[in-house]
Amino acid sequence: MSYTKAFIKAYERSLEVHYRYFYDDFNEYGNKEARQAIYFIGGIGGVPGQIRFAFPSIIKYFGTDIYIRSLSLKEFSAKEMIFNKYTLENMDKRREKIVADLNGMGEKYQSITIVASSNGFYDFLYAYAGLSRQVLSKSELIWCAVAPDHFEATRWEGFFYRINGFTKDGHRWFAFPNANWLEAFNPELKLTHQWKFQGIKKTFYKYDLEFRFRCLGLWWGYTSVDCFNAMLSYMIKKSVYPINMKSYILVATNDGYWQGKTKNDIERHLNRYLSRKQAIYKPSSHLWLLMPEHISQLLSLRGS
């Protein structure tokens, strides 16, 4: 029996009623007249406000006299359902916006740190050839939570597709649950993270960073392996690489999206796309890699 209509209704309601700390469209921060700037590119399902999760580390290393802008398009708004976002036309719009934003920032700021989260790196890769020499000469790349350029099929797709799935533009979409007890199946299914650092304790919730909706007593998110793979393949085929700019990379060694690939596999992947890089590996899952002390350690590479 399919409960797709009930799931979509719960998704729509969640967009209207739930409060989230970082999942929003607020895309500009700081001092526009500063000398240095940060440009944030979110990954699949990402939104501009996610950059605020990194603010404690950013302020520690850059100070407060900085301008921060996130890639922002109405087609990828936090208020838009994910299955309406990912089309080839919209991927081209993302590229055009990244090129326009960064080339404009290159004319104004003395230094630019480009922060790509997860699959957002491939958006930057697609835009790279359109960037001016001026912006490239003063830019560096931060890639947090390295993501693969292709998602492996999951045996759970068929199961959940029968419960809440549908097909849109030839792509199969289904909702998957998040709960801490599901971590044994995939570390990315964990709902919360208990953070401890130098005597500080805090609980982080996935639904504050990534969009999840409540239905049948659980938190859910919609995904489409074949749609996301089609978008990634389209961008990569039209990209120029390896990227020749200073790059600092944060990698999770317990990342559920890598399907158990080895560190050597990931290093070969990085070598394909980046020629000047330094990487830090942490025993973490994909999302919970982005803890303040990990981001701080990554930023500290800039001075090494």
Side-chain angles (χ1 to χ4, degrees):
M1 180 181 294
S2 175
Y3 296 92
T4 300
K5 289 183 178 179
F7 273 77
I8 297 300
K9 186 175 181 179
Y11 189 163
E12 291 174 337
R13 175 173 168 74
S14 183
L15 287 170
E16 297 174 358
V17 304
H18 285 139
Y19 294 98
R20 293 176 172 83
Y21 283 95
F22 306 101
Y23 199 89
D24 56 54
D25 294 322
F26 195 9
N27 69 305
E28 287 188 277
Y29 312 85
N31 178 15
K32 287 187 176 181
E33 304 307 317
R35 298 171 62 184
Q36 55 186 351
I38 290 176
Y39 187 72
F40 173 68
I41 304 171
I44 289 175
V47 292
Q50 289 174 330
I51 188 61
R52 295 200 304 277
F53 193 71
F55 272 15
S57 301
I58 289 173
I59 293 169
K60 182 176 180 180
Y61 283 90
F62 290 93
T64 56
D65 189 23
I66 189 168
Y67 173 63
I68 301 173
R69 177 186 290 184
S70 298
L71 170 64
S72 179
L73 286 163
K74 63 180 179 61
E75 289 84 358
F76 292 88
S77 168
K79 300 177 182 179
E80 185 64 67
M81 289 186 163
I82 191 169
F83 38 77
N84 294 328
K85 298 180 179 183
Y86 289 93
T87 67
L88 299 183
E89 180 182 4
N90 282 349
M91 303 318 290
D92 287 338
K93 289 181 180 179
R94 284 176 70 86
R95 179 189 185 276
E96 293 167 4
K97 190 64 162 61
I98 293 169
V99 170
D101 284 349
L102 283 173
N103 283 343
M105 292 170 72
E107 296 177 357
K108 182 172 183 178
Y109 297 99
Q110 292 188 15
S111 65
I112 302 171
T113 299
I114 301 162
V115 178
S117 174
S118 187
N119 328 85
F121 168 79
Y122 303 105
D123 292 285
F124 176 70
L125 184 73
Y126 187 25
Y128 178 72
L131 300 179
S132 68
R133 291 184 179 180
Q134 182 182 43
V135 72
L136 291 175
S137 68
K138 59 179 67 176
S139 296
E140 61 185 0
L141 175 66
I142 302 284
W143 186 6
C144 295
V146 168
D149 56 11
H150 180 87
F151 290 102
E152 300 293 337
T154 170
R155 65 182 185 274
W156 295 105
E157 176 176 340
F159 176 77
F160 287 116
Y161 185 84
R162 289 191 294 272
I163 296 173
N164 54 42
F166 62 93
T167 299
K168 180 178 174 62
D169 299 329
H171 301 302
R172 288 163 56 96
W173 289 86
F174 64 95
F176 60 94
N178 283 118
N180 289 344
W181 56 271
L182 292 170
E183 183 183 13
F185 297 98
N186 188 305
E188 307 313 321
L189 297 178
K190 191 176 182 182
L191 184 65
T192 67
H193 178 70
Q194 302 296 327
W195 180 60
K196 298 178 182 179
F197 183 73
Q198 295 183 351
I200 300 173
K201 297 181 180 180
K202 188 176 182 64
T203 301
F204 292 102
Y205 292 83
K206 184 180 283 285
Y207 50 69
D208 282 323
L209 274 167
E210 298 180 347
F211 188 86
R212 296 294 184 271
F213 62 93
R214 190 80 170 165
C215 189
L216 302 180
L218 292 171
W219 291 94
W220 302 77
Y222 265 100
T223 191
S224 173
V225 174
D226 58 324
C227 177
F228 295 158
N229 281 340
M231 301 302 111
L232 290 166
S233 176
Y234 174 78
M235 292 191 292
I236 292 167
K237 286 179 180 178
K238 301 178 74 173
S239 298
V240 175
Y241 52 87
I243 287 175
N244 184 29
M245 62 188 302
K246 289 183 179 179
S247 304
Y248 307 97
I249 305 162
L250 190 58
V251 185
T253 57
N254 190 34
D255 192 319
Y257 295 122
W258 282 98
Q259 299 290 304
K261 294 291 193 300
T262 67
K263 182 178 177 181
N264 287 338
D265 293 331
I266 297 173
E267 287 179 346
R268 283 193 293 271
H269 182 85
L270 296 176
N271 289 336
R272 179 186 184 192
Y273 292 114
L274 299 160
S275 59
R276 300 165 60 197
K277 63 185 183 303
Q278 291 179 263
I280 294 176
Y281 292 80
K282 294 292 182 181
S284 172
S285 63
H286 187 79
L287 177 61
W288 304 125
L289 174 68
L290 304 177
M291 292 296 101
E293 72 274 22
H294 296 162
I295 301 296
S296 293
Q297 186 179 351
L298 180 65
L299 292 176
S300 70
L301 289 179
R302 300 169 61 253
S304 62

